[in-house]
Amino acid sequence: MNSSSSITTDLIMEILSRLPSKSVARFRCVSKRWASMFASPYFNELFQTRSSAKPRLLFAIAENGDYRGESNGVWSFFSTPQLENPYEKSLSTLVAAAEFHVKFSPDGLLINYYGDIKYFSIGYASGLIYIYGCRYQARPLICNPNTGRYAILPNRYTYRKAYSFFGFDPIDKQYKALSIRYPSGPGRDKILTFGDNGDLTWRKIKFPSPERPGIKSHGMCINGVLYFLAERAEISFDYVIVCFDVRSETFTFIDVERFCRLINYKGKLAVIYWEDDVDIYEICYYGKDLDEYLEENLDADATNELRVWVLEDVEKQKWSKYAYTWTDDTFFRRHLSIAGATASGEIVFSMRKYTPKQPFYVFYFNPEKNTLQRVEIQGFGEAFKKTCSVCTFVNHVEDLDVNDLKQLKSVHPPLVQPEYYESSDSE
């Protein structure tokens, strides 16, 4: 290849590395030369570098179907550029446009959203979404929110509902789904490896504690370690953070004093809570509807006392502890979920519900400046007919390797329900 053609190829790669992954996939069809060029490690690294420099907020919007199973849930995925240091003037409202990616509703599979984590699990890891959406079918799935390609995982027998989590090992480049059985029920804890080298079978894994934990959060993965909050025993109010190393498949524990949420704060594990927080999942345990409870206890004029603990030393379990207080009559925190933190340390809060023709907001809180920035997200459209649940994820980055996973498909054969479960699964 002469120098002029080399320069031309480099320019092509430089230009196309700035495009969305969907566009790159289309350009692969131009010619064999372009297909080879876009499959090269150099282009993948160039694209990943560009994408990582422009992380996005990912919105997964759920329209629940019929709870009797007569219609499936529908998920719509949007994203918007993540604002870094968005503080021109505190409390002014900015506007960001949402980009629609795909509407997702696999035939014959219920993926309804539930506020109670006994009946619904969702996780995000390295570009993929994991949804375990209906306890009666027990069919978890993995989805690429940019393309809509997905994989339905094998049946997982559970008593009532197993708690389920999703993580990524950055060394071996493998995704894994972890299923922890219901505390008072039979069954086994299981794990499944997902990727082009994975065989998509659930394997037994031993949880080290003789007592079954009462799970209190969805999972969150940082640098190959999956974290989730639990009680050492169900209804014990003795909280602990479970740490699962995705690569070695080993468990460790970190003591924590109270109910809290977990976030990735600049690459470190952090816990975050409001001073007057309650264990919302304990409320669900006693039969209270979570959304109903939050509506009844909405206090727009409440003083917001936020606590953030950052784990500085894992072995010594040493935390840096911070407290922030502000009052804001536009910040209805019981209408918000804690989405996470940006790479520069802004904590992102997002509305939990989207109502058609009503504004939808996210808030960026800067701990160093103690400032709050409201951002209205526009572009979800009027296609939604009713109020929908919204799950928001920070630091979403497009990855060409994720798009190329062969186990993700556009269409799957009809589901066949097994006539029986293996006895080893329910022992």
Side-chain angles (χ1 to χ4, degrees):
M1 182 179 290
N2 59 42
S3 59
S4 61
S5 62
S6 176
I7 294 173
T8 301
T9 299
D10 288 346
L11 284 174
I12 291 173
M13 288 190 176
E14 179 72 22
I15 294 169
L16 296 183
S17 68
R18 302 170 186 267
L19 295 176
S21 60
K22 279 186 178 180
S23 300
V24 172
R26 287 196 292 268
F27 279 116
R28 283 181 173 178
C29 302
V30 170
S31 67
K32 290 183 178 180
R33 175 170 169 263
W34 277 38
S36 175
M37 179 175 64
F38 293 141
S40 69
Y42 172 76
F43 181 79
N44 274 8
E45 183 178 348
L46 183 62
F47 183 91
Q48 189 70 17
T49 299
R50 298 279 187 198
S51 184
S52 299
K54 300 180 293 183
R56 303 175 70 85
L57 290 182
L58 177 66
F59 302 97
I61 303 180
E63 298 176 89
N64 279 354
D66 191 298
Y67 284 93
R68 294 169 296 184
E70 297 175 2
S71 62
N72 300 336
V74 178
W75 288 74
S76 297
F77 295 105
F78 296 80
S79 71
T80 188
Q82 195 164 279
L83 303 184
E84 299 292 337
N85 301 311
Y87 306 96
E88 295 295 329
K89 181 182 178 182
S90 182
L91 299 183
S92 64
T93 300
L94 303 179
V95 175
E99 176 188 349
F100 172 72
H101 293 294
V102 70
K103 183 169 285 191
F104 180 71
S105 180
D107 290 338
L109 189 68
L110 298 180
I111 48 174
N112 288 333
Y113 173 89
Y114 295 85
D116 189 341
I117 56 176
K118 290 196 302 293
Y119 309 130
F120 175 81
S121 300
I122 188 169
Y124 174 90
S126 194
L128 293 181
I129 290 282
Y130 176 77
I131 300 176
Y132 197 176
C134 179
R135 80 181 202 187
Y136 300 107
Q137 286 190 310
R139 295 300 295 268
L141 60 86
I142 295 171
C143 170
N144 183 331
N146 289 329
T147 66
R149 297 175 70 226
Y150 66 103
I152 300 175
L153 304 187
N155 277 283
R156 168 76 174 100
Y157 169 78
T158 63
Y159 169 78
R160 296 183 67 177
K161 176 69 169 74
Y163 299 100
S164 202
F165 308 96
F166 190 52
F168 178 71
D169 167 23
I171 298 175
D172 291 338
K173 306 295 184 184
Q174 288 186 325
Y175 296 87
K176 293 184 181 180
L178 174 67
S179 180
I180 303 294
R181 69 175 175 86
Y182 194 77
S184 57
R188 301 280 187 144
D189 303 322
K190 295 289 186 80
I191 190 167
L192 178 146
T193 299
F194 179 81
D196 289 339
N197 296 322
D199 58 1
L200 287 187
T201 57
W202 291 102
R203 299 177 282 113
K204 295 177 184 177
I205 188 170
K206 184 175 178 57
F207 193 85
S209 172
E211 293 186 323
R212 311 311 304 164
I215 308 300
K216 293 296 179 178
S217 77
H218 294 291
M220 178 199 59
C221 196
I222 306 175
N223 299 326
V225 180
L226 180 63
Y227 300 95
F228 56 91
L229 183 69
E231 288 177 305
R232 291 191 182 275
E234 196 173 20
I235 327 178
S236 68
F237 301 100
D238 181 12
Y239 296 100
V240 64
I241 297 172
V242 181
C243 316
F244 177 72
D245 188 291
V246 178
R247 188 164 188 252
S248 65
E249 300 184 359
T250 55
F251 292 89
T252 54
F253 303 91
I254 298 173
D255 292 320
V256 67
E257 295 178 5
R258 54 165 297 157
F259 177 80
C260 56
R261 281 81 167 178
L262 311 182
I263 64 171
N264 178 349
Y265 189 77
K266 297 183 178 181
K268 298 178 180 180
L269 173 66
V271 303
I272 182 171
Y273 62 90
W274 304 106
E275 185 60 32
D276 60 350
D277 249 351
V278 295
D279 186 336
I280 56 176
Y281 298 115
E282 206 67 37
I283 293 168
C284 293
Y285 183 90
Y286 290 105
K288 186 71 173 179
D289 180 83
L290 179 58
D291 290 329
E292 191 176 290
Y293 168 81
L294 294 174
E295 288 293 336
E296 291 174 355
N297 290 272
L298 177 66
D299 186 356
D301 299 322
T303 298
N304 300 295
E305 298 182 42
L306 185 68
R307 303 291 184 263
V308 180
W309 297 6
V310 180
L311 185 61
E312 303 291 355
D313 189 312
V314 177
E315 292 185 1
K316 296 180 180 179
Q317 298 193 14
K318 181 180 178 181
W319 302 83
S320 295
K321 300 181 180 182
Y322 306 93
Y324 309 96
T325 303
W326 74 89
T327 300
D328 178 11
D329 59 6
T330 68
F331 189 78
F332 294 79
R333 59 184 167 90
R334 294 194 189 275
H335 279 176
L336 305 173
S337 63
I338 300 170
T342 69
S344 55
E346 284 85 14
I347 299 171
V348 181
F349 304 91
S350 174
M351 292 180 67
R352 297 182 302 105
K353 300 286 185 179
Y354 170 65
T355 301
K357 300 182 181 180
Q358 297 293 324
F360 181 91
Y361 297 109
V362 297
F363 295 82
Y364 291 79
F365 175 70
N366 187 319
E368 295 179 359
K369 299 179 181 179
N370 201 38
T371 54
L372 187 73
Q373 176 66 64
R374 185 171 70 169
V375 180
E376 181 179 351
I377 307 299
Q378 297 181 351
F380 289 159
E382 302 300 328
F384 300 101
K385 304 300 182 183
K386 58 184 179 180
T387 297
C388 306
S389 298
V390 182
C391 299
T392 305
F393 303 93
V394 299
N395 302 321
H396 173 55
V397 173
E398 290 188 289
D399 187 338
L400 295 180
D401 290 335
V402 168
N403 290 359
D404 292 338
L405 285 172
K406 294 181 177 62
Q407 290 179 326
L408 297 175
K409 303 181 184 302
S410 299
V411 179
H412 288 258
L415 290 175
V416 176
Q417 296 298 328
E419 295 181 2
Y420 65 92
Y421 298 104
E422 295 182 3
S423 60
S424 61
D425 198 36
S426 57
E427 290 176 351

mmCIF file of all heavy atoms in Angstrom, residues 181 206-213 232:
data_model
loop_
_atom_site.group_PDB
_atom_site.id
_atom_site.type_symbol
_atom_site.label_atom_id
_atom_site.label_comp_id
_atom_site.label_asym_id
_atom_site.label_seq_id
_atom_site.Cartn_x
_atom_site.Cartn_y
_atom_site.Cartn_z
ATOM 1 N N ARG A 181 -30.755 -17.543 44.904
ATOM 2 C CA ARG A 181 -32.099 -18.049 45.173
ATOM 3 C C ARG A 181 -32.788 -17.259 46.282
ATOM 4 O O ARG A 181 -32.146 -16.613 47.113
ATOM 5 C CB ARG A 181 -32.059 -19.531 45.534
ATOM 6 C CG ARG A 181 -31.429 -19.861 46.875
ATOM 7 C CD ARG A 181 -31.562 -21.349 47.164
ATOM 8 N NE ARG A 181 -30.884 -21.754 48.381
ATOM 9 C CZ ARG A 181 -31.412 -21.692 49.588
ATOM 10 N NH1 ARG A 181 -32.623 -21.190 49.754
ATOM 11 N NH2 ARG A 181 -30.726 -22.096 50.651
ATOM 12 N N LYS A 206 -21.540 -21.706 44.839
ATOM 13 C CA LYS A 206 -21.838 -21.772 46.270
ATOM 14 C C LYS A 206 -21.689 -20.407 46.909
ATOM 15 O O LYS A 206 -20.622 -19.793 46.853
ATOM 16 C CB LYS A 206 -20.904 -22.777 46.963
ATOM 17 C CG LYS A 206 -21.212 -22.975 48.442
ATOM 18 C CD LYS A 206 -20.352 -24.062 49.036
ATOM 19 C CE LYS A 206 -20.618 -24.234 50.534
ATOM 20 N NZ LYS A 206 -22.026 -24.516 50.838
ATOM 21 N N PHE A 207 -22.770 -19.946 47.510
ATOM 22 C CA PHE A 207 -22.718 -18.709 48.293
ATOM 23 C C PHE A 207 -22.078 -19.044 49.637
ATOM 24 O O PHE A 207 -22.468 -20.015 50.293
ATOM 25 C CB PHE A 207 -24.134 -18.152 48.480
ATOM 26 C CG PHE A 207 -24.158 -16.741 48.994
ATOM 27 C CD1 PHE A 207 -24.048 -15.669 48.119
ATOM 28 C CD2 PHE A 207 -24.273 -16.475 50.351
ATOM 29 C CE1 PHE A 207 -24.061 -14.362 48.583
ATOM 30 C CE2 PHE A 207 -24.286 -15.180 50.826
ATOM 31 C CZ PHE A 207 -24.179 -14.115 49.937
ATOM 32 N N PRO A 208 -21.077 -18.273 50.106
ATOM 33 C CA PRO A 208 -20.283 -18.686 51.271
ATOM 34 C C PRO A 208 -21.020 -18.657 52.598
ATOM 35 O O PRO A 208 -20.611 -19.322 53.547
ATOM 36 C CB PRO A 208 -19.121 -17.687 51.276
ATOM 37 C CG PRO A 208 -19.639 -16.490 50.533
ATOM 38 C CD PRO A 208 -20.575 -17.024 49.496
ATOM 39 N N SER A 209 -22.070 -17.877 52.719
ATOM 40 C CA SER A 209 -22.751 -17.768 54.007
ATOM 41 C C SER A 209 -23.812 -18.855 54.142
ATOM 42 O O SER A 209 -24.554 -19.114 53.196
ATOM 43 C CB SER A 209 -23.410 -16.389 54.138
ATOM 44 O OG SER A 209 -24.225 -16.333 55.293
ATOM 45 N N PRO A 210 -23.915 -19.488 55.313
ATOM 46 C CA PRO A 210 -24.964 -20.505 55.506
ATOM 47 C C PRO A 210 -26.365 -19.895 55.503
ATOM 48 O O PRO A 210 -27.332 -20.567 55.153
ATOM 49 C CB PRO A 210 -24.618 -21.121 56.864
ATOM 50 C CG PRO A 210 -23.827 -20.057 57.574
ATOM 51 C CD PRO A 210 -23.064 -19.342 56.508
ATOM 52 N N GLU A 211 -26.474 -18.635 55.907
ATOM 53 C CA GLU A 211 -27.769 -17.968 55.876
ATOM 54 C C GLU A 211 -27.973 -17.294 54.531
ATOM 55 O O GLU A 211 -27.041 -16.743 53.943
ATOM 56 C CB GLU A 211 -27.872 -16.936 57.003
ATOM 57 C CG GLU A 211 -27.884 -17.528 58.392
ATOM 58 C CD GLU A 211 -28.126 -16.462 59.446
ATOM 59 O OE1 GLU A 211 -27.629 -15.344 59.279
ATOM 60 O OE2 GLU A 211 -28.816 -16.765 60.431
ATOM 61 N N ARG A 212 -29.197 -17.321 54.026
ATOM 62 C CA ARG A 212 -29.476 -16.713 52.742
ATOM 63 C C ARG A 212 -29.675 -15.215 52.932
ATOM 64 O O ARG A 212 -30.425 -14.772 53.810
ATOM 65 C CB ARG A 212 -30.740 -17.296 52.114
ATOM 66 C CG ARG A 212 -30.783 -18.807 52.097
ATOM 67 C CD ARG A 212 -29.507 -19.403 51.543
ATOM 68 N NE ARG A 212 -29.197 -18.908 50.215
ATOM 69 C CZ ARG A 212 -28.012 -19.019 49.637
ATOM 70 N NH1 ARG A 212 -27.024 -19.564 50.285
ATOM 71 N NH2 ARG A 212 -27.828 -18.550 48.429
ATOM 72 N N PRO A 213 -29.019 -14.374 52.128
ATOM 73 C CA PRO A 213 -29.155 -12.931 52.307
ATOM 74 C C PRO A 213 -30.495 -12.424 51.791
ATOM 75 O O PRO A 213 -31.057 -12.971 50.842
ATOM 76 C CB PRO A 213 -27.999 -12.378 51.462
ATOM 77 C CG PRO A 213 -27.825 -13.394 50.373
ATOM 78 C CD PRO A 213 -28.128 -14.725 51.016
ATOM 79 N N ARG A 232 -27.858 -9.615 56.107
ATOM 80 C CA ARG A 232 -27.203 -10.910 56.379
ATOM 81 C C ARG A 232 -28.234 -12.024 56.494
ATOM 82 O O ARG A 232 -27.957 -13.182 56.162
ATOM 83 C CB ARG A 232 -26.369 -10.823 57.651
ATOM 84 C CG ARG A 232 -25.141 -9.928 57.473
ATOM 85 C CD ARG A 232 -24.190 -10.068 58.638
ATOM 86 N NE ARG A 232 -23.037 -9.184 58.492
ATOM 87 C CZ ARG A 232 -21.944 -9.485 57.802
ATOM 88 N NH1 ARG A 232 -21.855 -10.652 57.195
ATOM 89 N NH2 ARG A 232 -20.940 -8.631 57.719
#
